[in-house]
Amino acid sequence: MFVKKFTASVHVENTIAMKKNALVLLLVVTVCAGCATRYNISLTNGDVITARGRPKYDQTKGGFYYTDGLGNPAFVSGGRVREVAPASMSNDSQFLPMH
């Protein structure tokens, strides 16, 4: 009888631990998915720049700071930008990263 009670309590503890781990994993995946969003910066000459994360507009410089596909910081003048949109919502038919 003691063995059955001990085994049952270990099973319940393992189930609770697995549920906690699954919840933490789900939270991590959700947060990382938001960080990995790609944005397309469409330029007036027809080129498209794919940026990691959302580009930040700087009013003092008059342009956008972004991280390129290789992870390097970059800048593009606001006068050259036609559209900034998530890659899934961009109007352009081709999404080719530029370096």
Side-chain angles (χ1 to χ4, degrees), residues 9 13 18-19 24-25 34 44 49 55 57 59 63 76 82:
S9 67
E13 289 175 10
M18 286 191 296
K19 287 182 181 180
V24 169
L25 180 63
T44 55
I49 300 171
Y57 184 73
Q59 289 183 342
V76 63
R82 181 173 43 112

Side-chain angles (χ1 to χ4, degrees), residues 24-35:
V24 169
L25 180 63
L26 180 63
L27 181 63
V28 168
V29 168
T30 302
V31 169
C32 289
C35 298

Side-chain angles (χ1 to χ4, degrees), residues 80-95:
R80 296 183 58 210
V81 176
R82 181 173 43 112
E83 177 187 44
V84 176
S88 61
M89 298 178 65
S90 182
N91 290 333
D92 293 309
S93 60
Q94 293 182 348
F95 306 123

Side-chain angles (χ1 to χ4, degrees), residues 69-80:
L70 300 175
N72 301 318
F75 178 82
V76 63
S77 174
R80 296 183 58 210

Side-chain angles (χ1 to χ4, degrees):
M1 186 146 175
F2 175 72
V3 173
K4 286 185 179 180
K5 285 183 180 179
F6 179 73
T7 306
S9 67
V10 169
H11 178 68
V12 170
E13 289 175 10
N14 286 342
T15 303
I16 292 171
M18 286 191 296
K19 287 182 181 180
K20 286 182 182 178
N21 288 341
L23 181 63
V24 169
L25 180 63
L26 180 63
L27 181 63
V28 168
V29 168
T30 302
V31 169
C32 289
C35 298
T37 303
R38 304 273 187 218
Y39 277 77
N40 288 330
I41 304 171
S42 301
L43 303 179
T44 55
N45 66 358
D47 288 340
V48 178
I49 300 171
T50 301
R52 288 184 184 178
R54 186 174 183 176
K56 310 281 188 284
Y57 184 73
D58 184 347
Q59 289 183 342
T60 60
K61 301 283 185 183
F64 291 89
Y65 285 99
Y66 65 95
T67 304
D68 68 12
L70 300 175
N72 301 318
F75 178 82
V76 63
S77 174
R80 296 183 58 210
V81 176
R82 181 173 43 112
E83 177 187 44
V84 176
S88 61
M89 298 178 65
S90 182
N91 290 333
D92 293 309
S93 60
Q94 293 182 348
F95 306 123
L96 302 173
M98 294 183 53
H99 306 300

